């Protein structure tokens, strides 16, 4: 008797949960779904197919078109809640153009956090892939798939990069910090600045050249970068029932809703929220390396290292699953021994921050930027004080 009534209650709950998901989704399910891989997991033939399509897209003016679009709508798509949904549609738009050239074209992502300690040493930034820093007076890139290209927007210029900190960009954001944001933030009004003013801004600035301009899509790193940010948003959406969370302000300072239209694209935000529906027919491959690092090594290290209070403050989801183990294995006092380590290789280094010029170019709210910077620094101090040693 008791058993059957609780079963009925569970069935009602799951049916109504299903019903509310269906009510939000107005687009048909995709008949097939393709996978965006991490760039370093591409086989040589996949990479030659992709770089061949990119060359054809450059010849036909598509780099210039996407650079123009991004530059034209710049003020509407940054610094407000359009940021994630607009860039999701924008990268998918780009990818769909690529698919006109080759049916198997997909837009990979770059798991940039894995390279956070020494970004310039990333394999991605070598002649095997997208090439490295620019050379000479005009910072022209000479290697990689865009080496020697002439970009045509806003006028003809060699394809440039100008790595930050005189060619040796300082560390950007650790996978631990990004995971902490994903676990702590419950609204789009929190998630958007926490990502836009940290990893998003610092990668643009530290790659430099066209990546630090309104026409940043001239550099294909833009697409790798925004696919990664889109993947992080998706990870956030698919944890803790946040699939349909959309709040905060639109570019005109009204409240954004699922029915608000995207900037430029004549389609409501709702239509890009759920991957696998409508024209969002893609998913993300989990990077085998990231998956091992993030899901097991990092979580295990966090849970083994951090006192329960620190773990639950910065990693509430991990704490729910693994938190109690720490206090049982050893008391918090035993692990709070290290002083904040600021050098590479010992604990987590402080992340680079956005430059004043970049903040002004976007008209970002300085109070929000300072809050994000302080949070990132406090995170580093908390981890290092607890003696955390990152496996990444
Ligand atoms: Cu952008």
């Amino acid at each position: 008797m008791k058993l059957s009534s609780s079963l009925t209650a569970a069935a009602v709950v799951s049916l109504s949960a299903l019903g509310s998901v269906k009510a939000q989704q107005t687009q048909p399910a995709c008949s097939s779904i393709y996978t965006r891989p991490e760039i370093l997991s591409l086989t040589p033939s996949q990479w030659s197919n992709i770089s061949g399509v990119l060359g054809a897209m450059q010849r036909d003016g598509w780099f210039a078109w996407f650079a123009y679009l991004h530059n034209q709508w710049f003020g509407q798509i940054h610094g407000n809640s359009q940021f994630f949904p607009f860039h999701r549609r924008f990268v998918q738009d780009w990818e769909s153009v690529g698919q006109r050239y080759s049916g198997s074209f997909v837009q990979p992502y770059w798991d940039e956090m894995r390279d956070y300690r020494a970004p310039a040493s990333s394999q991605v930034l070598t002649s095997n892939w997208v090439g490295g820093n620019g050379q000479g007076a005009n910072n022209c890139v000479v290697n990689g798939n865009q080496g020697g290209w002439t970009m045509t927007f806003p006028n003809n210029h060699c394809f440039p990069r100008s790595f930050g900190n005189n060619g040796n960009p300082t560390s950007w954001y650790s996978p631990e910090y990004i995971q902490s944001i994903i676990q702590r933030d419950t609204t789009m009004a929190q998630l958007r600045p926490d990502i836009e003013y940290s990893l998003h801004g610092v990668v643009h600035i530290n790659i430099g050249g066209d990546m630090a301009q309104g026409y940043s899509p001239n550099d294909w790193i833009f697409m790798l970068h925004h696919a990664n940010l889109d993947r992080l948003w998706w990870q956030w959406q698919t944890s803790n029932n946040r699939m349909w969370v959309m709040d905060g302000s639109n570019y005109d300072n009204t409240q954004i809703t699922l029915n608000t239209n995207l900037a430029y694209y004549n389609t409501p935000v709702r239509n890009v929220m759920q991957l696998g529906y409508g024209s969002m027919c893609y998913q993300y491959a989990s990077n085998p390396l990231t998956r091992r690092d993030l899901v097991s090594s990092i979580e295990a290290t966090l849970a083994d290292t951090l006192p329960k209070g620190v773990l639950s403050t910065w990693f509430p989801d991990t704490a729910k699953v693994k938190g109690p183990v720490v206090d049982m294995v050893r008391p918090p006092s035993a692990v709070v021994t290290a002083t904040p380590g600021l050098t590479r290789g010992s604990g987590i280094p402080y992340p680079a921050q956005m430059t004043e010029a970049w903040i002004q170019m976007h008209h970002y709210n300085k109070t929000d930027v300072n809050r994000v910077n302080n949070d990132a620094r406090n995170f580093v101090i908390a981890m290092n004080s607890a003696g955390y040693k990152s496996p990444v």
Side-chain angles (χ1 to χ4, degrees), residues 11-304:
V12 168
V13 167
S14 71
L15 273 176
S16 64
L18 191 67
S20 70
V21 168
K22 285 271 188 254
Q24 301 287 13
Q25 184 54 264
T26 58
Q27 298 291 298
C30 297
S31 54
S32 67
I33 293 175
Y34 57 89
T35 299
R36 290 182 180 172
E38 212 276 339
I39 181 168
L40 295 178
S41 73
L42 295 174
T43 63
S45 76
Q46 286 173 320
W47 174 231
S48 94
N49 178 262
I50 288 172
S51 56
V53 168
L54 297 176
M57 288 173 79
Q58 163 70 352
R59 281 193 299 278
D60 292 349
W62 287 110
F63 275 79
W65 170 249
F66 280 85
Y68 158 79
L69 269 188
H70 187 264
N71 194 61
Q72 194 69 13
W73 291 87
F74 194 80
Q76 283 82 18
I77 59 178
H78 302 108
N80 65 69
S81 291
Q82 289 265 344
F83 177 75
F84 278 111
F86 173 86
H87 286 87
R88 171 170 287 175
R89 180 71 181 86
F90 190 69
V91 174
Q92 186 272 332
D93 190 9
W94 165 267
E95 188 173 52
S96 72
V97 172
Q99 287 167 351
R100 297 183 206 167
Y101 291 84
S102 164
S104 62
F105 180 82
V106 291
Q107 176 56 52
Y109 66 92
W110 173 17
D111 182 6
E112 308 146 317
M113 294 91 78
R114 196 180 52 200
D115 295 316
Y116 84 104
R117 286 181 189 271
S121 321
S122 171
Q123 272 188 66
V124 175
L125 302 176
T126 63
S127 55
N128 292 336
W129 302 97
V130 307
N133 202 3
Q135 314 278 313
N138 296 323
N139 300 307
C140 305
V141 174
V142 297
N143 62 351
N145 70 302
Q146 288 188 264
W149 284 18
T150 298
M151 309 314 293
T152 60
F153 185 86
N155 43 47
N156 281 358
H157 60 289
C158 79
F159 170 64
R161 284 195 194 117
S162 179
F163 286 1
N165 190 32
N166 295 318
N168 188 25
T170 47
S171 54
W172 49 49
Y173 290 79
S174 63
E176 288 88 345
Y177 183 62
I178 300 301
Q179 289 306 307
S180 175
I181 287 173
I182 288 173
Q183 293 195 14
R184 282 183 290 147
D185 288 354
T186 59
T187 65
M188 179 51 77
Q190 295 170 319
L191 182 74
R192 196 275 308 163
D194 281 355
I195 297 285
E196 187 179 1
Y197 301 163
S198 63
L199 183 66
H200 166 257
V202 159
V203 170
H204 272 285
I205 294 164
N206 275 289
I207 297 299
D210 284 4
M211 264 295 270
Q213 301 292 336
Y215 41 90
S216 43
N218 273 344
D219 192 333
W220 189 58
I221 289 179
F222 175 99
M223 297 296 168
L224 293 171
H225 180 38
H226 274 279
N228 187 46
L229 302 176
D230 185 56
R231 181 180 71 99
L232 296 172
W233 178 30
W234 181 243
Q235 190 191 337
W236 183 79
Q237 287 182 285
T238 50
S239 58
N240 297 299
N241 292 316
R242 292 171 187 145
M243 178 68 71
W244 299 99
V245 174
M246 184 50 65
D247 56 76
S249 45
N250 193 12
Y251 54 77
D252 58 5
N253 288 322
T254 60
Q255 280 289 117
I256 202 167
T257 72
L258 292 170
N259 297 323
T260 304
N261 265 7
L262 293 175
Y264 171 66
Y265 294 104
N266 190 27
T267 188
V269 168
R270 176 189 308 282
N271 289 3
V272 305
M273 294 294 287
Q274 190 173 23
L275 303 187
Y277 288 82
S279 49
M280 301 292 120
C281 296
Y282 64 89
Q283 62 185 358
Y284 287 101
S286 55
N287 173 3
L289 186 59
T290 304
R291 193 157 178 83
R292 191 181 67 236
D293 286 349
L294 285 182
V295 177
S296 33
S297 299
I298 289 182
E299 282 210 309
T301 312
L302 288 167
D304 284 352

